Amino acid sequence: MKKSLSLILGLSLCALCVGTSFSQAAATQTVNLAVNSVQKIAITGGVITLTISNGTAGNNTLTPVSDATSTYSITHNSATPLRITANLDAALAAGYQLQIALAPGALMGTSAGTVDISNALAASAVAVVTGIPKGADAGRTITYTFNANASAGILTSTAKTVTLTLTN
Amino acid sequence: MKNHLHIVVNRVWKTAAMAVLLMNGTARAQVYGTGGHTVTMQVSVITSVRVTVGSVNLNISSANVVAGQNQMSVTDQSTSLLWGTNSSLRKVSVSTSLAAPKFTLKLLALNPTVGNAAPQVTLSTSAQDLLLNIGRSSGSCTLLYTGIALASQGTGNDVHVITFTVAAQ
């Protein structure tokens, strides 16, 4: 009698165990989420036209013109602060000067102020913003200033490509 | 006397023949016993769930990033969840093994063939509803993972073991 009761109890427990194991099924999947090194920079504004058409009598330096319609945006996640450099695809002729100034957001780097890039090529790009920490900065103003000397003469419309590079 | 004996013998034969006939008839109708089986049938609670691929890789790189935005994201919907259950009022819940992830991982059940998808969940170690109302059915859905990181968080890697569980709703 005791054996029979034990057997019945054992079978009942087994039945409960089986019922439980089938009533709550589970599956697993491994998901690897990796965040790699990211450096992105973009500019808005397209073609910028700078035309000098005024001067002051007696001054060789003609009245400069500026444009502040374009912007830059950056995103990076590097542990080391980065910088932005600027350069032209070809140098300007003597007597003409192109300057650039970038205005970063608060705590998003230090501006080098107005920088002459007239002779800055890829190999000699100049820093315009330094010490940019990881994060993002959007829609920051780029200001171009074009200077010319009267002694340099007339400059027919000349296109130059300005390259901004986010680098370490 | 001889004639009387003949009549007696004749009667005995007839009686015997009758008896044999009666016995035959009785033998054919005789029930010696009965037999039977009690057949008990049972369908147990059956629930199964599986994923089509055991591993998913989400990589955030420059290609996924818009300059000027701190938030970066990547999605994957290359895998599916399949399930079957013969119980009513069941749901699929989901959780991750990673207690303190550096980045955010979200999951949405896309286009379930049966049941209703719960709103997109941010995965944590606590089980959360992924699918509802899947009772007594077999079905599938696409698993849409979204990995989210901030550029200001830097680089890194999170490894999640995601557990899908079919449970009572």
Side-chain angles (χ1 to χ4, degrees):
Chain A
M1 183 63 182
K2 210 172 183 180
K3 269 190 175 175
S4 300
L5 274 175
S6 300
L7 186 63
I8 289 167
L9 188 61
L11 287 172
S12 303
L13 284 173
C14 282
L16 281 173
C17 291
V18 170
T20 304
S21 65
F22 278 102
S23 66
Q24 194 174 64
T28 61
Q29 185 174 46
T30 302
V31 177
N32 300 301
L33 174 56
V35 179
N36 303 318
S37 179
V38 168
Q39 286 108 32
K40 273 285 218 194
I41 183 168
I43 55 170
T44 64
V47 176
I48 310 292
T49 302
L50 297 162
T51 305
I52 291 176
S53 52
N54 274 315
T56 303
N59 280 348
N60 188 38
T61 304
L62 301 176
T63 305
V65 292
S66 294
D67 179 283
T69 60
S70 61
T71 64
Y72 77 94
S73 299
I74 57 148
T75 296
H76 88 83
N77 62 355
S78 302
T80 320
L82 301 184
R83 61 190 180 128
I84 299 172
T85 62
N87 68 273
L88 297 179
D89 58 333
L92 284 177
Y96 304 102
Q97 185 187 55
L98 183 63
Q99 295 172 312
I100 191 171
L102 272 61
L107 304 177
M108 287 309 293
T110 303
S111 174
T114 301
V115 176
D116 181 8
I117 56 171
S118 305
N119 296 300
L121 303 180
S124 55
V126 294
V128 289
V129 180
T130 56
I132 306 169
K134 60 190 174 189
D137 200 13
R140 298 301 169 187
T141 302
I142 302 172
T143 303
Y144 288 100
T145 303
F146 181 41
N147 301 290
N149 294 330
S151 57
I154 295 171
L155 180 69
T156 54
S157 182
T158 301
K160 298 291 179 186
T161 301
V162 178
T163 300
L164 298 180
T165 304
L166 183 62
T167 185
N168 55 16
Chain B
M1 181 64 181
K2 193 178 177 181
N3 197 25
H4 180 73
L5 185 62
H6 179 75
I7 290 168
V8 170
V9 169
N10 200 19
R11 281 182 181 172
V12 167
W13 271 110
K14 280 181 179 174
T15 305
M18 285 290 286
V20 168
L21 282 171
L22 284 170
M23 281 175 70
N24 268 348
T26 305
R28 280 183 194 150
Q30 183 67 52
V31 176
Y32 291 104
T34 59
H37 291 115
T38 299
V39 180
T40 302
M41 287 165 287
Q42 183 179 348
V43 178
S44 302
V45 174
I46 298 170
T47 305
S48 65
V49 60
R50 72 179 180 90
V51 289
T52 52
V53 179
S55 177
V56 172
N57 293 311
L58 293 164
N59 292 308
I60 292 178
S61 59
S62 292
N64 313 104
V65 176
V66 176
Q69 290 185 8
N70 194 28
Q71 182 171 299
M72 311 179 290
S73 65
V74 64
T75 61
D76 179 281
Q77 50 180 307
S78 63
T79 64
S80 298
L81 183 74
L82 299 95
W83 68 86
T85 178
N86 60 355
S87 301
S88 57
L89 281 178
R90 287 292 183 270
K91 66 178 181 179
V92 176
S93 58
V94 64
S95 64
T96 175
S97 61
L98 194 58
K102 184 173 184 181
F103 309 109
T104 302
L105 182 61
K106 295 186 175 186
L107 179 59
L108 174 68
L110 208 58
N111 304 320
T113 57
V114 178
N116 309 111
Q120 185 184 46
V121 295
T122 299
L123 292 164
S124 71
T125 51
S126 301
Q128 297 175 84
D129 292 344
L130 179 70
L131 281 161
L132 298 165
N133 305 319
I134 63 159
R136 288 184 191 165
S137 68
S138 62
S140 66
C141 69
T142 299
L143 296 171
L144 173 59
Y145 286 101
T146 303
I148 300 169
L150 300 178
S152 53
Q153 291 178 292
T155 58
N157 191 43
D158 283 344
V159 179
H160 297 259
V161 177
I162 309 297
T163 300
F164 300 91
T165 306
V166 177
Q169 189 168 312

